[in-house]
Amino acid sequence: MEESVDAAELQAFLTREFPQVAEDFIVEAVGEECVIRLRVADRHLRPGGTVSGPTMFALADVGIYLAILHRLGPVALAVTTNCSMDFMRKPEAGRDLIAHVRLLKLGRVLAVGDVLIYSEGGTAPVARASMTYSIPPREKPDPAKSDPAKPEAARA
Amino acid sequence: MEESVDAAELQAFLTREFPQVAEDFIVEAVGEECVIRLRVADRHLRPGGTVSGPTMFALADVGIYLAILHRLGPVALAVTTNCSMDFMRKPEAGRDLIAHVRLLKLGRVLAVGDVLIYSEGGTAPVARASMTYSIPPREKPDPAKSDPAKPEAARA
Amino acid sequence: MEESVDAAELQAFLTREFPQVAEDFIVEAVGEECVIRLRVADRHLRPGGTVSGPTMFALADVGIYLAILHRLGPVALAVTTNCSMDFMRKPEAGRDLIAHVRLLKLGRVLAVGDVLIYSEGGTAPVARASMTYSIPPREKPDPAKSDPAKPEAARA
Amino acid sequence: MEESVDAAELQAFLTREFPQVAEDFIVEAVGEECVIRLRVADRHLRPGGTVSGPTMFALADVGIYLAILHRLGPVALAVTTNCSMDFMRKPEAGRDLIAHVRLLKLGRVLAVGDVLIYSEGGTAPVARASMTYSIPPREKPDPAKSDPAKPEAARA
């Protein structure tokens, strides 16, 4: 059975597992659509005040990852195997970015998510992304098998 | 006519225009294939010692950008409009990443480049990327039009 | 100014310009979201009864193309420059495919659209696609410039 | 261990399993790089004489599929899960298309291939594609588990 992890648990998971980037991201809402905020800071900017491409990639990647954990629980060690992004508009200077994430598939071995990224308050998306994650085999409730989850996931 | 910009000029351009990331990247070779090294540091890592996805995105993005500037000269303000990446293997801990970049198209309005990323010394690619850049209109040698290049590029 | 082309006009455009494939596609609705039906026939199938990948590509490509024409009018000669697709589930045998298309950007030179494809009656998408089109320069209302639109579009 | 399937065997496999499209494709070479020819016919064309997008998708898809079978043997039932393509130039009228295919990864569950498509005799690629395939579980040569008809032991 799948469990559901709420926004506060996801935020705590980020802080615990990804301390170097956790403060950048705020889990605003979870559900059919998950909403993740990127608190834009100077280190995310490029000349001209635009948010860098790697920063938008990171937002999409974290957003879909959290949407998967929302469904599978915080033990999953999914790894990104594929990404496609369209950068469509220049983000507005001095505004946070808001990612709206949907899971399109949560299969046994692959999950696919879809993201639209907006400047806060904007109505036209600045970027679109879809990403595939490889889901490691999930342990069955077999009491004879007590190996802890491995701390490192090799890419599929 | 297209001019050709050598490795030292590209490195100087990075340092001048992107001081916040320039020290991460070394232009190792330019030509039909451009080779860019990412000096992997702690800030690029994720738990387990793997290089983060955004870092590999940044390497691919910078690599194709430099390959375009190698052909067009350092004034161009190309912006990324599309990216697709496959993350195929876990980078080896403690090794730099080496990007091998080819330009597949350098058109009037769009350029497309292709990248394979390896751990230094490795023979199997850890990631593949292709990216499209929008090329801003290039000024013709019209003496009546003397506006300087705009310092900010809007996404196409 | 942009004009809006209705479903019947788009259907007539398909029949006139793409007679070899027009009977495959039905424009079911246009608007913020355009809905295009693929009438699945034996020639679209692969062994096992699944709809072929090229057929789903064609549906996504036609769908976004029509969504652009809905906004720009039937004279536009947009060409596909980029596509990314995720094939997530096997289409159900003996059912039509229904594409739900949104335009995410309609810029001066590039348009980006997004598609979810369902088996008719299904609730989980079988495929997702996003595509970029290059928009040829649109004629301005300049009476001194009377060149007709070129009948053939080179890829950007 | 992996076996290697030669060009004639791949051609025979195509004819046997995909009779509706087999005559379109010719396996010209296999090895580190596989070369597949698309015999362009009227049914592949769009107005203006260009080869249709779905046709180029089909060539890339078949090309990577055959490159996988070259390595795994003709029994594999890999399915495409992801595709990204860039359409960069208009194919030349009246020429076949030639796909040059490399496998970048052949993992336990995922394979990734990369294609450049040229008009025959051309030096600049008309399109680029990368595709991911999901590889179904392969039977291991486990003598204790060699009778698929044998009922499984009672589950724990």
Side-chain angles (χ1 to χ4, degrees), chain D:
Chain D
M1 293 305 290
E2 288 171 4
E3 52 187 309
S4 179
V5 179
D6 70 17
E9 287 175 278
L10 289 176
Q11 193 76 54
F13 173 83
L14 267 188
T15 303
R16 193 169 65 239
E17 300 292 333
F18 299 93
Q20 69 276 47
V21 296
E23 67 175 15
D24 287 355
F25 302 107
I26 298 174
V27 183
E28 303 245 312
V30 295
E32 278 295 290
E33 183 176 89
C34 294
V35 181
I36 314 291
R37 172 189 297 266
L38 173 74
R39 298 168 65 182
V40 174
D42 280 352
R43 67 184 172 283
H44 304 123
L45 303 181
R46 282 282 184 274
T50 194
V51 179
S52 77
T55 298
M56 286 192 274
F57 176 97
L59 173 57
D61 196 27
V62 164
I64 296 175
Y65 187 60
L66 292 175
I68 294 171
L69 298 193
H70 166 60
R71 294 277 298 280
L72 291 187
V75 298
L77 285 162
V79 292
T80 311
T81 58
N82 176 265
C83 163
S84 91
M85 289 193 80
D86 294 289
F87 300 96
M88 299 183 286
R89 296 173 181 87
K90 185 179 171 177
E92 293 182 47
R95 298 214 181 166
D96 284 352
L97 291 180
I98 312 291
H100 293 255
V101 184
R102 291 176 303 174
L103 273 193
L104 300 179
K105 176 192 170 92
L106 182 56
R108 195 176 49 80
V109 295
L110 293 180
V112 179
D114 197 90
V115 182
L116 287 174
I117 297 176
Y118 297 83
S119 285
E120 186 172 22
T123 56
V126 300
R128 183 210 68 74
S130 44
M131 298 202 180
T132 301
Y133 281 73
S134 176
I135 311 284
R138 279 160 270 177
E139 292 181 27
K140 292 168 191 153
D142 178 355
K145 195 187 172 188
S146 59
D147 186 356
K150 188 176 180 180
E152 288 185 37
R155 295 172 195 277

Side-chain angles (χ1 to χ4, degrees), chain B residues 77-99:
Chain B
L77 284 162
V79 293
T80 312
T81 58
N82 176 265
C83 163
S84 90
M85 288 193 80
D86 293 289
F87 301 97
M88 298 183 288
R89 296 172 181 87
K90 185 179 171 177
E92 292 182 46
R95 300 215 180 165
D96 285 353
L97 292 181
I98 311 292

Side-chain angles (χ1 to χ4, degrees), chain C residues 80-146:
Chain C
T80 311
T81 58
N82 177 265
C83 163
S84 90
M85 288 192 81
D86 293 289
F87 301 95
M88 299 183 287
R89 294 172 182 89
K90 185 178 171 177
E92 292 182 47
R95 297 215 181 165
D96 285 353
L97 291 180
I98 312 292
H100 293 255
V101 184
R102 292 177 301 174
L103 272 194
L104 300 179
K105 176 192 170 93
L106 182 56
R108 196 177 49 81
V109 296
L110 294 178
V112 179
D114 197 89
V115 183
L116 287 174
I117 298 177
Y118 298 84
S119 286
E120 185 171 23
T123 56
V126 300
R128 183 210 67 75
S130 44
M131 298 201 180
T132 302
Y133 281 74
S134 176
I135 310 283
R138 279 161 267 178
E139 294 182 29
K140 291 166 193 156
D142 178 355
K145 193 184 172 205
S146 60

Side-chain angles (χ1 to χ4, degrees), chain B residues 16-36:
Chain B
R16 194 168 63 240
E17 301 291 333
F18 299 93
Q20 69 276 46
V21 297
E23 68 175 14
D24 287 355
F25 302 108
I26 298 174
V27 182
E28 304 245 312
V30 295
E32 278 294 291
E33 183 176 89
C34 293
V35 181
I36 314 291

Side-chain angles (χ1 to χ4, degrees), chain A:
Chain A
M1 291 306 289
E2 288 172 6
E3 50 187 310
S4 179
V5 180
D6 71 17
E9 287 175 278
L10 288 176
Q11 193 76 54
F13 173 84
L14 267 187
T15 303
R16 194 169 64 240
E17 301 291 334
F18 299 94
Q20 68 277 46
V21 297
E23 68 175 14
D24 287 355
F25 302 107
I26 298 174
V27 182
E28 304 245 311
V30 295
E32 278 294 292
E33 183 176 88
C34 293
V35 181
I36 314 291
R37 172 189 297 266
L38 173 74
R39 299 168 64 182
V40 174
D42 280 354
R43 66 184 172 284
H44 304 123
L45 302 182
R46 283 281 186 273
T50 194
V51 180
S52 77
T55 298
M56 286 193 272
F57 176 97
L59 174 57
D61 196 25
V62 164
I64 296 175
Y65 187 61
L66 292 175
I68 294 172
L69 298 193
H70 166 60
R71 294 278 298 280
L72 291 188
V75 299
L77 285 160
V79 292
T80 312
T81 58
N82 177 266
C83 164
S84 90
M85 288 193 81
D86 293 288
F87 301 96
M88 298 182 287
R89 295 172 181 88
K90 184 180 171 177
E92 292 182 47
R95 299 216 180 165
D96 284 352
L97 291 181
I98 312 292
H100 293 255
V101 184
R102 292 176 303 174
L103 273 193
L104 300 179
K105 176 191 170 94
L106 183 56
R108 196 176 49 79
V109 296
L110 294 179
V112 179
D114 197 89
V115 182
L116 287 174
I117 297 177
Y118 297 84
S119 285
E120 185 172 21
T123 56
V126 300
R128 184 210 66 75
S130 44
M131 297 203 181
T132 301
Y133 281 74
S134 176
I135 311 284
R138 279 161 268 181
E139 293 181 27
K140 291 168 193 152
D142 178 355
K145 192 183 175 208
S146 59
D147 284 348
K150 295 263 186 64
E152 298 178 23
R155 293 190 183 275

